[in-house]
Amino acid sequence: MVAFLKYTLIRFAIFLPLFVLFVFLQLGWFLAVVCAGLISFAISYLFFQKQRDAATASLHARFSGRAKPIRTAGEIDDARAEDHLVDTHPDVTIRNDIKKREPRGEGA
């Protein structure tokens, strides 16, 4: 994801001065955004192919399904506690595959 962030920052660094220039030339906000966006896209497409390819490869690796899942500290702590419980008490089973049923209320 570092490559994606790097490429995004390069494009933003190209976009921002162009946007300021077009606003200074009084093109209007909307037209300044469109022109700066198109020119920054063209410049980054033509001159930053290696960075674009690296960013694409990092996104593909992240979302291909083979990437290591990103887990929060809370999820890691929960997994460790669960593993410890199962290791110390072999008679305890954890079944995550059971579908939770909604309680039958008065409206059913």
Side-chain angles (χ1 to χ4, degrees):
M1 292 305 275
V2 173
F4 177 75
L5 182 62
K6 186 177 182 181
Y7 183 64
T8 302
L9 289 175
I10 289 171
R11 289 189 64 181
F12 185 70
I14 296 169
F15 173 83
L16 191 62
L18 289 171
F19 174 73
V20 170
L21 174 70
F22 291 138
V23 169
F24 180 73
L25 293 175
Q26 298 178 353
L27 255 62
W29 292 98
F30 181 73
L31 196 54
V33 168
V34 171
C35 290
L38 287 174
I39 292 172
S40 67
F41 167 75
I43 290 171
S44 65
Y45 186 78
L46 292 173
F47 298 110
F48 297 105
Q49 181 179 0
K50 285 195 301 187
Q51 289 84 359
R52 185 180 67 245
D53 291 344
T56 303
S58 71
L59 284 177
H60 177 71
R62 179 73 222 146
F63 295 110
S64 67
R66 296 183 309 247
K68 184 178 175 183
I70 298 174
R71 295 171 64 183
T72 64
E75 290 174 330
I76 292 171
D77 290 341
D78 287 346
R80 284 186 186 144
E82 199 171 89
D83 292 342
H84 178 70
L85 175 71
V86 171
D87 291 341
T88 56
H89 303 289
D91 57 325
V92 173
T93 58
I94 298 172
R95 296 173 52 182
N96 292 332
D97 59 341
I98 297 176
K99 202 177 212 181
K100 292 184 180 177
R101 295 183 186 177
E102 292 187 24
R104 296 183 187 190
E106 295 107 26

